[in-house]
Amino acid sequence: MQTVFSVGTDALAYGMVLFVISIGLSVTMGLMRVVNLAHGAFAMIGGYIASYAAHMLGFGYAVAILLAVAGTILISIPIERFLFRRIYGAPELTQVLMTIGITFCVIGIANYVFGPTLKTIPLPDMLRGPVDLGYRSIAAHKLFAIACGVVVAGALWFLIDRTAFGVKLRASVDNAAMAGSLGVRTRIVYAVSSAVAVGLAAFGGIVGAELLPIEPYYALRYMVTFLVVVSVGGAGSIPGALLACLVLGAIDTTGRYLVPEYGEFFFYLAVITIVCLFPNGLLGRKR
């Protein structure tokens, strides 16, 4: 029973980290109809900025997070303005080629500027030690990751489903011309949505740095993982992305605990099975 609780706790932490990083991609693909393979690159940029702010500038963890999220969004603004706007509504292959090209450019720049080594983000004392849960001790930063996932899920659901901005976003996606004729500034809506997705990616990259280490090939190493979460959960579905992260996190963690020699075999076996049974994702809309 202790092993079950241990696996469950680690799976929940891993799943929540995947969710915080991947939910921005789910919004981008499901609501904005953009296949953004550069999403992981923005998570990596956030991690690098936070590491630099903490190690070189001496800022604390919270300030490093704020600087990293803000800095990543600032970096993404010209990319969205001059590159992404050219592929809104474009064929998916065009979107893939554009965004994967951006990914390789970011990887090259990161490798040149920061070198090929792993980058760490120092945790504050309150997140560094273990927390006794009774049946076992768990690292405090994992509990922090779980809490962040819950907060992000609730906040994003409220933004999209319960605010005027969410209504404008859904209207712009369904019929941009009609939304524009009704006074919705669709370009601004897309720009803000892109900034939110990028900010979430950067935040997830920082929070999950202990589980998914920051290094130059981060964007490629986890690109498929992030795409899988969106596909399994259903693009644009916040509950679907959360459910997919929890299910896949549990399967992957259990496999690594019990049969580590199989690597990610059970993770991708579960992906194949779910996609075959639910072509639109666990909670995705029918196309």
Side-chain angles (χ1 to χ4, degrees), residues 163-185:
T163 66
F165 174 79
V167 173
K168 292 177 181 179
L169 173 59
R170 297 196 303 274
S172 300
V173 169
D174 291 338
N175 193 325
M178 179 62 72
S181 67
L182 294 174
V184 177
R185 303 177 69 177

Side-chain angles (χ1 to χ4, degrees), residues 32 69 73 76-77 80 189-201:
M32 298 174 64
V69 172
I73 291 175
S76 74
I77 289 175
E80 192 277 336
V189 170
Y190 280 132
V192 173
S193 301
S194 177
V196 170
V198 167
L200 287 173

Side-chain angles (χ1 to χ4, degrees), residues 29-134:
M29 289 182 62
L31 297 181
M32 298 174 64
R33 307 290 196 267
V34 176
V35 183
N36 182 15
L37 297 187
H39 189 75
F42 292 116
M44 182 180 74
I45 290 172
Y48 272 116
I49 295 177
S51 178
Y52 182 84
H55 286 292
M56 304 302 294
L57 302 180
F59 289 115
Y61 188 69
V63 177
I65 289 179
L66 293 176
L67 287 176
V69 172
T72 306
I73 291 175
L74 286 176
I75 291 173
S76 74
I77 289 175
I79 296 176
E80 192 277 336
R81 175 63 181 82
F82 297 108
L83 297 178
F84 279 7
R85 287 192 185 182
R86 297 176 181 272
I87 60 175
Y88 290 150
E92 292 180 350
L93 179 59
T94 302
Q95 297 175 350
V96 167
L97 292 175
M98 171 74 81
T99 55
I100 203 169
I102 294 172
T103 299
F104 279 110
C105 288
V106 172
I107 289 173
I109 293 172
N111 205 19
Y112 176 78
V113 174
F114 296 102
T117 58
L118 295 176
K119 298 299 178 182
T120 60
I121 303 172
L123 295 172
D125 292 337
M126 62 182 299
L127 298 180
R128 198 170 293 168
V131 175
D132 187 8
L133 299 180

